[in-house]
Amino acid sequence: MTTNKSTSLFESKQVKEALVQSFVKLNPKMMIKNPVMFTVEIGTAIMFAVCISILMGATDQGSFIYNLIVFLILLATLLFANFAEAIAEARGKAQADSLRKTREETPAKQILPNGEIKNISSSALKKDDIFVCEAGDLIAADGEIIEGLATIDESAITGESAPVIREAGGDKSSVTGGTKVLSDKIKVKVTSEPGESFLDKMIALVEGASRQKTPNEIALTILLAAFTLIFVIVCVTLKPFADYANAPITIAAFIALFVCLIPTTIGGLLSAIGIAGMDRALRANVITKSGKAVETAGDIDVLLLDKTGTITIGNRKATNFYPTKGISFDDFVKSAVLSSLADDTPEGKSILELSEMIDVKNEIKASFLQTTSDISHTIKFTAETRTSGVVLKDGTNIRKGAQDAAKNIAQQAGNSFPEDTAQQVITISSNGGTPLVVIKNNEVQGVIELQDIIKTGMKERFERLRRMGIKTVMVTGDNPLTAKFIAEAAGVDDFIAEAKPEDKMNYIRKEQAEGRLVAMMGDGTNDAPALAQANVGVAMNSGTQAAKEAGNMVDLDNDPTKLIEIVEIGKQLLMTRGTLTTFSIANDVAKYFAIVPALFITAIPALQGLNIMHLHSPESAILSAVVFNAVIIPILIPLALKGVDYRPIGASAILKRNLLIYGLGGLIVPFIGIKVIDLLVALFM
């Protein structure tokens, strides 16, 4: 989590900017994007015309002061709604400014095709260009390391002061423009055109410049527009009824009734809620390519999580060597060491570390070095073979890998899988360890035990997700026994063992075919298809460019558990929009009981039964309703920006809670508020 991001809702600089924008946004070309508030603006313009007509001599619309007050209150309603959107945008722009500081022009050492190094500006770098960075240099553009290894300071982006290691090859090769190289030297291949980096795209998104309304937001906008149209018809049809009842209604009363009945509260806050949702995602150090991704995260049914680095600490450690009956311990250790020389994973390195710690004969240790010089070539680990190893110059073939892969190699050569090793594999797996079987010339030599350590608090996290109604699925390359042990210990609902890249894709498709929304996180090129297929795909910032392009979110912190936080942000966004819509529609009821009796009670005494608030006069009733309608918007701005508190208590419980607070509260609060305002207004009438 970043440490350089303010948590204050209202900073003086942002407030000043938002106040200016509140007036700028009165431009009809901008207001028409919000149908509800655009109709309020039309009503405000009509009231301004009424005030002018009274000054010109009109006498049938009441006093000038009364009409002027109604006009000013309606103008304030517009300004409050614009302020809500503007303050949300200002917060986003503040975030963008901090990001933009990392995108300042920096010198770049471009490597030309002839090998010559040329100093150019970072803005001149194009996709597929290659540049070099040394200790102290700022990385000029987004790219992937093609040569070298370096320690990099990413605090300008993530806020984390601890440096990270990025290296060529693998899933930790991606670097971001604006970060700083602290040590060593790297060659980087540019992966984006100028102005199209992830930070550039994020800056545009958080500023609101390229914010697209989400499908849910569009649907709600259409619904609110329909409500507005209905009340236009209602207000128009009141005119003949009023004339028939000999109860003339002033334009001010018509406009006030209309503005109070349409859902102005949610209409004024709708954009602010959407912008604030993306802002909260950014404050969690998550770059979202669209608001839809955040929104979708709130509806997620299934979470796919890699075991390594997410559920477990990440680096499995070799803890024991178990040779097959008939194979000496020292010979087995020698084979295990040789098979790990090509394995540059932390697991492979831990095997070498364990061999140095155990008590083997000195001559055996010496023979490790001697045999190393006899290596013909190494065999890298792949997801397909699930083994690694070496081939010696004399033809000796030593492999290390998963039990099923080693078993297949042995059986294909006509050799059996020893019973004692098979039993040891089961024992290790049952205890939550990972067995790696070593084979030499297609004969099983023994098994190496690796142990995972489950992160603290993971069981509680998964229980929290379960209360949200979300199914958690652990993805691992481990055998089913090991996977089952860790899954039970961590508290996940399901697991995919011995997973290949295509297994993730198939599982996602299966769940989606059953009508569920799926989220997953990945960092490698092999994760890209699954990230693209998932409804919410979160790529690690340290991951490959393919992964970042495939996902619709990028986690700058490279925290595999961030999915949990993203889901909560999405749910909070949906809840905030839903609860404020409920509140807005509910409080229109109270305003109906305030204004309608005030309009007709003199001409139609039978309406006295509706006059449950007993307001001072028709004029005070109208003023009280429009004042409440205006002031409720700024009162709710902090809630729109911060979001409704989310608790994982189940969908039905959340619905009941929110209906009680925002539904029933939306009915009761306006009655109290309008009555209090009426008492104050009556003092001046």
Side-chain angles (χ1 to χ4, degrees):
M1 187 64 64
T2 62
T3 56
N4 57 351
K5 296 178 183 177
S6 173
T7 57
S8 174
L9 284 178
F10 301 104
E11 294 184 0
S12 58
K13 185 180 177 182
Q14 295 172 12
V15 170
K16 289 176 184 176
E17 185 181 344
L19 286 171
V20 173
Q21 286 298 312
S22 300
F23 288 90
V24 174
K25 289 177 179 290
L26 290 174
N27 185 339
K29 290 181 180 178
M30 300 174 72
M31 290 296 298
I32 201 168
K33 295 177 183 178
N34 188 335
V36 176
M37 299 314 297
F38 182 65
T39 57
V40 177
E41 186 170 46
I42 293 173
T44 307
I46 293 171
M47 284 307 304
F48 180 75
V50 170
C51 290
I52 297 297
S53 69
I54 294 173
L55 289 174
M56 299 293 289
T59 58
D60 59 343
Q61 295 299 323
S63 71
F64 172 76
I65 297 296
Y66 169 71
N67 283 273
L68 179 64
I69 291 172
V70 172
F71 163 73
L72 292 174
I73 295 170
L74 294 181
L75 179 62
T77 305
L78 286 172
L79 292 173
F80 288 150
N82 288 346
F83 179 82
E85 183 176 16
I87 193 69
E89 289 177 349
R91 283 161 60 82
K93 287 177 180 177
Q95 294 288 88
D97 289 339
S98 67
L99 289 174
R100 192 177 282 109
K101 290 177 182 177
T102 70
R103 305 295 300 123
E104 295 173 353
E105 290 289 307
T106 55
K109 302 172 185 173
Q110 184 185 6
I111 302 177
L112 302 177
N114 61 6
E116 182 185 341
I117 294 178
K118 180 182 178 184
N119 289 320
I120 63 170
S121 171
S122 59
S123 60
L125 287 171
K126 300 185 296 294
K127 190 176 181 180
D128 296 329
D129 284 349
I130 296 173
F131 63 93
V132 64
C133 282
E134 300 179 25
D137 292 345
L138 286 176
I139 295 173
D142 289 3
E144 287 193 354
I145 301 173
I146 58 173
E147 186 181 308
L149 173 149
T151 306
I152 296 174
D153 178 9
E154 295 184 342
S155 60
I157 298 170
T158 66
E160 277 296 333
S161 57
V164 295
I165 296 174
R166 298 285 177 261
E167 58 185 321
D171 298 336
K172 303 290 184 185
S173 61
S174 181
V175 290
T176 305
T179 56
K180 188 176 183 178
V181 177
L182 298 179
S183 68
D184 302 292
K185 180 179 178 180
I186 52 174
K187 285 184 183 178
V188 181
K189 184 178 182 180
V190 181
T191 54
S192 61
E193 296 289 353
E196 294 181 3
S197 70
F198 277 100
L199 283 182
D200 290 320
K201 292 174 183 176
M202 189 59 211
I203 289 166
L205 282 169
V206 298
E207 284 184 326
S210 59
R211 193 183 86 89
Q212 299 286 324
K213 287 188 176 182
T214 64
N216 279 357
E217 197 172 345
I218 292 169
L220 185 55
T221 301
I222 294 170
L223 178 64
L224 297 179
F227 278 165
T228 303
L229 182 60
I230 289 169
F231 287 116
V232 167
I233 297 168
V234 168
C235 290
V236 169
T237 56
L238 275 179
K239 176 65 175 167
F241 283 107
D243 291 343
Y244 179 78
N246 197 26
I249 303 175
T250 63
I251 293 174
F254 266 122
I255 298 294
L257 177 65
F258 172 72
V259 169
C260 287
L261 290 186
I262 65 173
T264 49
T265 306
I266 185 62
L269 296 172
L270 189 58
S271 291
I273 294 167
I275 297 169
M278 291 191 66
D279 181 60
R280 283 195 294 276
L282 182 58
R283 288 172 187 272
N285 267 358
V286 177
I287 292 177
T288 60
K289 295 183 182 180
S290 70
K292 183 182 177 182
V294 181
E295 197 172 80
T296 305
D299 285 328
I300 284 299
D301 302 297
V302 182
L303 278 184
L304 257 65
L305 299 159
D306 281 329
K307 182 202 72 174
T308 307
T310 306
I311 295 168
T312 61
I313 288 176
N315 296 341
R316 292 175 294 185
K317 294 281 187 183
T319 54
N320 276 299
F321 294 118
Y322 298 101
T324 298
K325 194 178 291 183
I327 305 295
S328 75
F329 184 82
D330 291 341
D331 285 344
F332 174 60
V333 173
K334 182 178 176 181
S335 296
V337 169
L338 288 170
S339 68
S340 302
L341 292 175
D343 186 357
D344 55 2
T345 65
E347 291 85 354
K349 292 173 182 175
S350 77
I351 293 171
L352 301 180
E353 291 170 2
L354 180 63
S355 71
E356 294 175 358
M357 293 167 57
I358 60 175
D359 185 21
V360 296
K361 296 175 183 176
N362 287 331
E363 58 263 29
I364 296 293
K365 285 188 177 181
S367 71
F368 290 170
L369 300 172
Q370 181 184 343
T371 312
T372 302
S373 63
D374 295 333
I375 293 174
S376 171
H377 64 273
T378 59
I379 302 166
K380 293 280 187 182
F381 178 87
T382 66
E384 287 73 29
T385 64
R386 302 178 69 216
T387 62
S388 62
V390 294
V391 177
L392 304 183
K393 290 177 181 177
D394 63 4
T396 302
N397 190 327
I398 305 173
R399 296 282 192 95
K400 169 191 90 261
Q403 176 214 359
D404 57 334
K407 190 175 182 179
N408 287 337
I409 292 172
Q411 289 180 343
Q412 286 173 9
N415 298 318
S416 63
F417 196 87
E419 183 61 35
D420 63 316
T421 299
Q423 188 56 52
Q424 191 62 55
V425 165
I426 294 170
T427 302
I428 293 170
S429 300
S430 300
N431 293 329
T434 300
L436 291 179
V437 178
V438 178
I439 53 176
K440 181 177 180 181
N441 293 330
N442 302 327
E443 291 186 358
V444 175
Q445 299 288 291
V447 61
I448 307 166
E449 181 181 10
L450 303 178
Q451 280 292 341
D452 283 295
I453 301 172
I454 296 172
K455 291 182 178 179
T456 55
M458 290 308 296
K459 195 159 189 171
E460 290 75 14
R461 285 192 178 216
F462 291 129
E463 180 57 35
R464 182 178 176 90
L465 287 167
R466 196 171 292 110
R467 292 200 300 272
M468 293 182 197
I470 296 170
K471 177 184 177 183
T472 52
V473 181
M474 181 184 77
V475 182
T476 177
D478 291 335
N479 64 72
L481 271 175
T482 303
K484 185 174 184 290
F485 180 92
I486 294 173
E488 289 176 351
V492 297
D493 300 309
D494 198 3
F495 62 88
I496 306 171
E498 298 177 345
K500 299 180 182 69
E502 60 268 23
D503 293 336
K504 295 180 185 180
M505 173 78 83
N506 294 335
Y507 191 92
I508 291 169
R509 284 174 173 167
K510 179 175 83 65
E511 292 288 344
Q512 288 173 334
E514 295 173 4
R516 299 183 184 95
L517 298 180
V518 183
M520 74 160 283
M521 179 172 268
D523 59 0
T525 301
N526 62 351
D527 290 325
L531 285 169
Q533 181 67 35
N535 302 93
V536 177
V538 185
M540 301 262 201
N541 189 49
S542 63
T544 63
Q545 191 66 23
K548 291 198 283 188
E549 289 291 344
N552 46 24
M553 293 186 183
V554 178
D555 176 26
L556 297 176
D557 289 333
N558 306 305
D559 178 7
T561 63
K562 189 64 69 67
L563 264 175
I564 299 169
E565 193 171 348
I566 290 168
V567 168
E568 292 191 351
I569 289 170
K571 286 189 177 295
Q572 191 179 41
L573 170 62
L574 294 173
M575 280 177 53
T576 303
R577 188 182 292 143
T579 52
L580 290 185
T581 301
T582 302
F583 182 88
S584 177
I585 294 172
N587 69 32
D588 289 341
V589 175
K591 289 176 277 187
Y592 176 87
F593 281 99
I595 295 179
V596 172
L599 295 178
F600 296 104
I601 200 163
T602 304
I604 311 174
L607 288 176
Q608 185 64 39
L610 294 177
N611 188 23
I612 58 178
M613 283 192 274
H614 298 287
L615 302 179
H616 180 264
S617 67
E619 289 78 12
S620 73
I622 291 169
L623 287 177
S624 300
V626 291
V627 167
F628 178 85
N629 192 67
V631 299
I632 198 67
I633 295 175
I635 289 172
L636 292 175
I637 287 175
L639 185 64
L641 297 179
K642 190 178 178 182
V644 175
D645 286 337
Y646 173 73
R647 298 175 188 173
I649 55 177
S652 59
I654 289 174
L655 181 61
K656 290 176 184 175
R657 176 175 172 267
N658 289 340
L659 282 176
L660 180 65
I661 296 173
Y662 298 97
L664 185 60
L667 284 172
I668 296 171
V669 168
F671 279 97
I672 299 170
I674 291 172
K675 182 64 178 178
V676 170
I677 295 169
D678 180 75
L679 293 172
L680 294 172
V681 170
L683 298 175
F684 301 95
M685 298 187 72

